[in-house]
Amino acid sequence: MTAAAPQRTEAELADEVAALHQELAALADDRMRAVNEKHGDDHAVNLTTLRAIAKRLKTQPDLARALWSTPAEDSAPKLLALLISRPKQYGEAELDAMLREAPTPKVHEWLVSYMVKKSPHREALREAWFADADPVVASAGWALTSDRIAKAPVGEVPEGIDLDALLAEIEAEMQDAPERLQWAMNQCLAEIGIHDASRRERAIAIGEELEVLKDYPTPPNCTSPFAPAWIEEMVRRAEGRTAQRSR
């Protein structure tokens, strides 16, 4: 049986955080930062490199908390902290506070994806955030709602989620919603259309009426975020996979 690693002192953690800050600073690329700043982010370290550092460090909840809470020049230490965290060790209030202080869209996205979705508090947070007055916080509630819709068994409506009410809210509010909330609502619209055949026609009609992200620049061989196109493409792929399996 392997003995548990001795708990580090605050001074030892501070030294490790300082060393990681130096390592991240040495890896920073100003050109990458400039590109990321166009999307509201500020990190200058390649995310693949960041993941490699996290793989080296492995899961270290105490170091993760120290990295998260220590002021830094950009958000790279917080991104690294999320990669080496243990989500189930974080309470509901702690995750809520972390979301509200997430400094950039990428930190917000990773916090929801890597921490909250794996947390036993995810449903309570989804419900609380969905109704939050802060549109950035509310966008996390919508993202978690989309995740539940996408993961529901085929033909089933996720318990506690009213898809018709969601469609009505999207139809009424998405067009004028702040950008990050609009993106989250648009994803929810697409997920409903992709995963619920009985509501697909309505979801596509709402997307066509609102035209949100209709003209969004989309590289070749990538799926447009315009909900009707997104829905139709994902349904086409699913039908293709089904046809292949039936041969």
Side-chain angles (χ1 to χ4, degrees):
M1 183 174 178
T2 304
Q7 189 169 2
R8 286 166 287 194
T9 66
E10 289 187 11
E12 289 170 334
L13 282 173
D15 287 343
E16 290 189 55
V17 168
L20 285 169
H21 278 198
Q22 290 180 347
E23 181 177 358
L24 293 172
L27 293 167
D29 182 336
D30 288 337
R31 291 171 299 179
M32 181 172 293
R33 190 192 309 278
V35 171
N36 289 331
E37 284 176 345
K38 294 178 181 179
H39 306 288
D41 290 308
D42 64 1
H43 59 279
V45 179
N46 181 283
L47 296 181
T48 300
T49 302
L50 209 58
R51 293 181 191 279
I53 296 172
K55 185 176 181 179
R56 183 191 79 212
L57 294 172
K58 299 183 172 61
T59 302
Q60 297 192 50
D62 55 348
L63 180 58
R65 281 189 166 92
L67 268 173
W68 180 274
S69 62
T70 302
E73 292 185 2
D74 66 14
S75 61
K78 277 185 164 55
L79 291 170
L80 180 58
L82 295 172
L83 293 174
I84 63 171
S85 291
R86 183 169 286 126
K88 292 182 180 179
Q89 289 191 357
Y90 289 74
E92 182 179 337
E94 187 174 14
L95 289 169
D96 179 72
M98 290 171 71
L99 185 85
R100 294 177 190 279
E101 66 189 39
T104 66
K106 183 59 69 176
V107 174
H108 176 108
E109 176 192 338
W110 279 21
L111 176 64
V112 173
S113 296
Y114 299 153
M115 297 285 285
V116 181
K117 287 182 181 179
K118 300 175 183 178
S119 167
H121 308 293
R122 59 187 175 274
E123 184 60 15
L125 289 168
R126 183 192 72 81
E127 292 177 355
W129 289 342
F130 189 90
D132 200 277
D134 183 333
V136 174
V137 175
S139 72
W142 279 88
L144 292 170
T145 300
S146 295
D147 185 63
R148 287 209 48 207
I149 294 167
K151 291 180 178 177
V154 176
E156 292 187 19
V157 175
E159 184 179 354
I161 293 180
D162 186 334
L163 297 182
D164 292 318
L166 287 176
L167 288 173
E169 187 168 351
I170 290 167
E171 186 172 24
E173 299 182 13
M174 182 172 73
Q175 194 169 53
D176 297 321
E179 182 180 9
R180 286 168 67 178
L181 178 56
Q182 185 184 72
W183 271 90
M185 295 176 82
N186 183 71
Q187 180 183 0
C188 191
L189 176 64
E191 296 293 4
I192 293 172
I194 292 165
H195 297 283
D196 191 315
S198 67
R199 294 174 174 83
R200 184 169 299 147
E201 184 176 344
R202 185 182 176 200
I204 290 173
I206 290 171
E208 289 176 341
E209 176 190 356
L210 300 182
E211 297 188 338
V212 169
L213 301 176
K214 182 177 182 178
D215 299 321
Y216 190 82
T218 304
N221 301 319
C222 292
T223 302
S224 169
F226 178 49
W230 186 355
I231 293 167
E232 290 168 357
E233 174 61 19
M234 299 310 291
V235 170
R236 183 191 67 78
R237 293 182 191 181
E239 290 175 345
R241 290 192 295 269
T242 301
Q244 282 188 332
R245 286 195 295 267
S246 64
R247 288 175 185 171

